[in-house]
Amino acid sequence: MRTTTPNSAAISGRWRRMGASALGVAALVLTGLGSAAHASAAPAVTAGATAAATTAAKVTWAPTPCATPKHRGDLTCNSFRVTGGTTAFQKQRAAQTSKAAQVTPKAAAASPTGYGPSDLQDAYGLTDAASAGGSGETIAVVDAYDDPNAAADLAAYRSYYGLPACTVASGCFKKVSQSGSTTSLPTADSGWAEEESLDLDMASAVCPNCKILLVEATSSSMANLGKAVNEAVALGAKFVSNSYGGSESSSDTSYDTSYFKHPGVAITVSAGDEGYGAEYPAASKYVTSVGGTALSRSSTSRGWTEKVWNTSSTEGTGSGCSAYDAKPTWQTDTGCAKRTISDVSAVADPATGVSVYDSYGVTAGWYTFGGTSASAPVIAAVYALAGAPGSSDYPAAYPYAAGASALNDVTSGSNGSCSSGAAYLCTARSGYDGPTGLGTPEGTAAFTG
């Protein structure tokens, strides 16, 4: 569990987080960001500062409440919400308009303060694919607990950005429990509702023509989240996004078989937000593990630049060697005898975060989020734009078979310290590395068989 500033220490792991739960919540309450002050903790926009002042305003953020487990053994979401400063999106807008703005706590923003659909599509070479592709495909988002406002918040996001409507009535959006019920849903939870808004909005941003299925687990235990994954597949989803994780355990290989072994389905999982170190289910050999980057505009021909997302030794994108999962045949790096995290990556740094609309348990309005909870649904949506996987394929293998030009190679930054003999596990380099995998999307070519 992390405290409220990006430079603070974190307590890692599924079990260790539980021990710090009470302390973490207390810290958030003291800073106006915990559940007791949840409704007044959203960022707002303050206009009128100079561009120079805007550039100097350091971005701060706090973990969403679902980053603290309710019970021992629960998995946690991998997301942060920006609470102050000037995001990369706002700096970009200030440079274009000479009107500066900053995120400040205490009220929801009236307009977005993070990257939106056109930014993400442009950054990842997806503008044409997002316009023409995705029809008939369903992206499933798996999370814990219920977000009663999911449909309404999704509608607000899509309407603002001019995306096609995606409603329950039209059959484009569907929300079910882990057993498939549309009426008997889990207990509502405002922290997980923030996560669900983030996931739904990112799926929409990258694949606006896709249908969306939200499967809500009864709790954030691996058993219930795993059953939700199985239900998503049973309902026909070929693309399943999972933005949660926790410490590895000796049970993980059995979880692989029970919940994630779905040939013909692209399952994406967040690599984690605690820097170097393996998480599950990102370590499953049947999923695409998704790392995180800092994404910024640049003067390059691409127009964007990326580096490893890292704030401190205990905060940044996850990566590393699994202690239990065998190395899949398509992964050939030599510094890790078992499964290596990650496979690919996308934006995750809260300072270069994404725009989200949320209203349950918070002041209704616009928020900026980061964490590998953002990158996992982005990659799931890229797979959806690329089309249905082969019926016997495990689509995590697809990027490894693609040429170098099919991905944006991320070559700078690190997420911690690792063995000098296998420095690529925590440090970016040309080609494959742990924090960013093979790179970030450049169109859809790396995500099709």
Side-chain angles (χ1 to χ4, degrees):
M1 178 65 191
R2 305 161 188 79
T3 52
T4 58
T5 65
N7 295 319
S8 58
I11 298 176
S12 302
R14 188 187 306 171
W15 316 123
R16 294 168 65 191
R17 280 181 190 153
M18 187 60 200
S21 173
L23 178 60
V25 171
L28 291 179
V29 170
L30 288 172
T31 56
L33 297 167
S35 56
H38 202 198
S40 63
V45 174
T46 302
T50 66
T54 300
T55 302
K58 185 177 182 180
V59 182
T60 58
W61 55 84
T64 55
C66 54
T68 301
K70 293 179 180 294
H71 309 99
R72 180 179 175 85
D74 281 358
L75 279 68
T76 60
C77 63
N78 287 312
S79 57
F80 296 87
R81 192 178 72 192
V82 171
T83 57
T86 306
T87 65
F89 171 83
Q90 291 173 296
K91 292 177 184 178
Q92 172 188 320
R93 290 296 180 266
Q96 293 172 339
T97 65
S98 299
K99 292 182 179 180
Q102 295 180 14
V103 178
T104 56
K106 308 302 183 187
S111 61
T113 55
Y115 291 137
S118 63
D119 300 300
L120 296 174
Q121 292 169 21
D122 183 58
Y124 295 126
L126 299 167
T127 302
D128 291 343
S131 175
S135 296
E137 306 293 0
T138 297
I139 302 171
V141 168
V142 172
D143 281 307
Y145 301 101
D146 180 40
D147 176 3
N149 296 359
D153 289 349
L154 178 64
Y157 179 90
R158 295 177 72 103
S159 175
Y160 180 91
Y161 285 113
L163 305 180
C166 189
T167 65
V168 174
S170 70
C172 176
F173 176 66
K174 186 176 184 179
K175 181 175 74 170
V176 300
S177 70
Q178 68 186 49
S179 64
S181 174
T182 59
T183 55
S184 181
L185 297 169
T187 302
D189 182 273
S190 60
W192 278 94
E194 292 183 38
E195 175 64 46
E196 291 175 41
S197 290
L198 167 60
D199 295 344
L200 296 175
D201 290 355
M202 291 307 96
S204 296
V206 174
C207 191
N209 295 321
C210 284
K211 295 180 179 180
I212 301 177
L213 171 67
L214 173 60
V215 187
E216 298 178 328
T218 302
S219 74
S220 59
S221 71
M222 184 68 262
N224 284 324
L225 286 164
K227 290 174 183 176
V229 171
N230 288 343
E231 184 63 25
V233 176
L235 291 173
K238 297 296 184 183
F239 316 95
V240 184
S241 174
N242 303 270
S243 293
Y244 55 82
S247 301
E248 294 188 286
S249 80
S250 58
S251 300
D252 290 348
T253 54
S254 64
Y255 295 150
D256 280 353
T257 303
S258 297
Y259 307 128
F260 297 106
K261 189 178 181 180
H262 292 289
V265 180
I267 301 176
T268 63
V269 180
S270 301
D273 293 349
E274 298 184 349
Y276 178 63
E279 266 196 13
Y280 190 85
S284 171
K285 63 182 179 180
Y286 298 117
V287 311
T288 301
S289 59
V290 185
T293 66
L295 173 70
S296 302
R297 287 279 185 180
S298 76
S299 58
T300 62
S301 58
R302 178 188 170 195
W304 298 85
T305 185
E306 290 177 276
K307 62 182 180 180
V308 173
W309 166 45
N310 174 249
T311 303
S312 69
S313 62
T314 53
E315 186 176 288
T317 184
S319 72
C321 290
S322 172
Y324 302 100
D325 256 77
K327 197 174 215 57
T329 57
W330 36 261
Q331 198 172 53
T332 60
D333 63 296
T334 58
C336 182
K338 295 186 180 295
R339 171 68 156 117
T340 310
I341 300 169
S342 298
D343 296 313
V344 293
S345 51
V347 61
D349 188 343
T352 68
V354 296
S355 177
V356 173
Y357 189 90
D358 189 44
S359 70
Y360 184 67
V362 294
T363 303
W366 293 95
Y367 298 81
T368 295
F369 278 84
T372 53
S373 279
S375 56
V378 165
I379 296 300
V382 178
Y383 272 113
L385 290 176
S391 60
S392 61
D393 292 352
Y394 291 100
Y398 290 170
Y400 291 83
S405 63
L407 293 152
N408 299 303
D409 194 7
V410 181
T411 59
S412 64
S414 67
N415 66 345
S417 299
C418 52
S419 168
S420 59
Y424 75 94
L425 294 173
C426 63
T427 303
R429 65 175 185 179
S430 295
Y432 180 83
D433 58 71
T436 66
L438 293 161
T440 64
E442 180 50 52
T444 62
F447 299 88
T448 179

